[in-house]
Amino acid sequence: MAKLAGVSVRTLHHYDGIGLVQPSARTATGYRAYSAGDVERLREVLAYRRLGFGLREIADLVDDPTTDAVAHLHRLRGLLLEQRDRAAAMVTAIDRELEARAMGIRTTPEEQLGVFGAQLYEAIGSAYPATRRTEPRIAARIWEALGEARTVLNVGAGTGSYEPPDRDVTAVEPSAVMRAQRPAGAARCVAASAESLPFEDQSFDAAMAVSTVHHWPDPVAGLREMRRVARRVVVFTYDASATGWRERFWLTRDYLPEFADLLTGWPSLADLTRAIGGRAEPVLIPWDCADGFFEAYWRRPEAYLDDHVRRAVSVWTRVGPEAEQRAVNSLRDDLSAGRWAERNRDLVALDAAELGLRLLVA
C-alpha cells in the first residue's frame, strides 16, 4: 500500500495511529489489510494533503457524513482547477514582467510582490466585483422567471450578482476566493459544488444559476441537482450548439478562434434544457451592459484592450497569454486603422444584440 500510494510505511502507521486512515483488518501475522473503502479514504487524505490542508482539516473533511466519494472527487477537482488557474495567472504575470524587462522596464517592488506573492489569486478574484455587477435588464428577466418563489438557492453564486433582494436567498459557491468577495449583508453562502448540493429534495421554491454552468465539471449533473432541490429552476447560460454560433460574435470570429476549443465537449442547449425539463429563451445583450461578461462589450470594442476588463473574464486566462496578446494586438491595430469599424458597421445602429445567451426555465 505504501508503494502504491507513494508514501512511507511510517506515514501509514501515523495515519492509523491518529485515526485518519485505519485499515479494516489485520492479517494473522499482524500486517495491516486495506479494503477498497480504506483505499478510497487514503486517496482522499493524500489528495487534500497535497493541496496543502492540515491533518485536522482533512479529518473534518473525510469524516463529513454528508459527503460521499463522488462529492469528494468533485470538490478535489474544483480545488485543483483553482490551483491550475492560479498557476496560469502566475505564468501570465511572469510573461508580462519578462516582456517589460526585455524593453528595459523594471517593475516596482510593489508590482513584483503583487503578482508573485500571496495576493495574486485574491487580486484576480477582486477583479470580478470591479466589472462584474448586476445588469438590471437581465436581472429583471431572471427575477421574473423566478415567479412567486420566496426561497431561492443561488448555485455557483460567486460574489452575489443577480441575487434577488426581496427573497430569502441561500448561496452555494465552491471557491473560497469568490466567497471572500461577497459583500457584507449578502445571503449566507455554503461551500459546496453544484453536482452535490447538500440539501434535501424540494428544499427551495426555486434554484437559479447565473453565468456559472460553464465552470462546472459536470453541467448536466449540476442542473439535475438543481431540479432535485427546487420546484423551479432558472439558469442564465450560453448556447454553443446552434449552427453558425462561431460567427455570431466578432471577437471570437476575427480575433480569438481559441474560444471554440474551450467548448469542446460542452453539452448542447438541448441537453442542458432536458436536464431540467424546461425551455430556453434568448436573452439580448444591451449595448451598454453593466455586467462585464465576455460578450458585454460587443459595441464597445475598446474595452477589450483594458486589462482590468479582461481579468474579470475567465476566457482570457483559459486561452493563455499568447492567444490573449495576439487578439488584443490585432484588435488594437484594426481599431486604429478603421478596419473594425468597417467590418462591423451594422452594429452601431443596434441597441441590443443576440449573441447566444439563453435563459433556461423549468
Side-chain angles (χ1 to χ4, degrees), residues 30-150:
Y31 286 101
R32 293 166 172 82
Y34 292 84
S35 68
D38 300 334
V39 172
E40 218 167 53
R41 184 179 174 95
L42 176 61
R43 186 267 312 280
E44 291 160 3
V45 167
L46 294 176
Y48 285 122
R49 189 76 176 124
R50 288 166 188 172
L51 281 164
F53 286 81
L55 293 180
R56 289 185 180 178
E57 292 178 293
I58 294 171
D60 290 339
L61 289 168
V62 298
D63 286 334
D64 182 358
T66 65
T67 307
D68 61 13
V70 173
H72 278 298
L73 286 173
H74 281 305
R75 179 186 287 163
L76 287 166
R77 188 178 190 279
L79 290 168
L80 287 165
L81 288 173
E82 284 189 22
Q83 193 175 78
R84 181 199 65 184
D85 290 345
R86 186 183 298 115
M90 288 194 73
V91 170
T92 300
I94 290 170
D95 287 343
R96 286 176 180 152
E97 174 145 353
L98 287 172
E99 290 175 6
R101 294 202 176 208
M103 293 185 289
I105 302 171
R106 189 173 182 85
T107 54
T108 66
E110 291 80 9
E111 289 171 328
Q112 292 172 17
L113 292 175
V115 297
F116 296 122
Q119 301 172 2
L120 173 67
Y121 201 57
E122 285 72 12
I124 295 170
S126 67
Y128 276 77
T131 62
R132 300 299 300 274
R133 40 191 176 267
T134 301
E135 162 51 52
R137 287 157 289 192
I138 295 177
R141 290 282 305 277
I142 294 170
W143 297 345
E144 180 183 9
L146 291 173
E148 300 298 319
R150 300 308 309 162

Side-chain angles (χ1 to χ4, degrees), residues 142 145-155 167-170 202-209 226 229-234 362:
I142 294 170
L146 291 173
E148 300 298 319
R150 300 308 309 162
T151 58
V152 177
L153 179 68
N154 187 15
V155 182
R167 323 213 189 188
D168 180 7
V169 177
T170 299
Q202 305 294 285
S203 297
F204 300 90
D205 294 334
M208 59 183 280
M226 292 177 67
V229 303
R231 289 174 283 278
R232 190 172 185 82
V233 177
V234 177

Side-chain angles (χ1 to χ4, degrees), residues 22 29 59 94 109-110 116 152 161 183 224 234 238 244 279 308 312 338:
Q22 294 180 309
T29 53
I94 290 170
E110 291 80 9
F116 296 122
V152 177
S161 296
R224 287 174 178 162
V234 177
Y238 180 78
R279 66 184 187 277
H308 291 92

